[in-house]
Amino acid sequence: MNSEQPSVGTQWWANLEPATRAWLINNNGDAVPEAIAREVAAAGGPAATLTDADGGTPALYFPDEVTDWIEAAANDEEAGTTS
């Protein structure tokens, strides 16, 4: 990861509402509703970017490194290892 990319750390994850964390886990990699993107950003998390993923209407998406991190966080939560 280069120094210009925001860190995908754990601080912001703990600051999200449980329902938001659940949505991110259940819809990981999908277009992100604006309200979810705003909450993540307000919590200090990475910014979602407007992307034309499939040649259709542009939507907000997190970078691949963020979706990978969310998947890992979800696996940690299922294992009971996330604080």
Side-chain angles (χ1 to χ4, degrees):
M1 174 168 45
N2 70 43
S3 61
E4 295 176 22
Q5 294 292 328
S7 174
V8 183
T10 59
Q11 284 289 73
W12 64 273
W13 187 253
N15 293 329
L16 296 176
E17 292 293 324
T20 301
R21 287 194 304 266
W23 188 93
L24 288 167
I25 289 168
N26 293 328
N27 299 282
N28 194 21
D30 293 346
V32 180
E34 191 173 328
I36 298 280
R38 279 195 310 266
E39 183 179 342
V40 169
T49 56
L50 196 59
T51 305
D52 187 359
D54 294 321
T57 304
L60 293 170
Y61 289 91
F62 287 118
D64 289 342
E65 69 178 19
V66 176
T67 57
D68 292 345
W69 186 90
I70 291 170
E71 182 177 354
N75 291 336
D76 286 348
E77 284 185 4
E78 288 174 4
T81 59
T82 303
S83 58

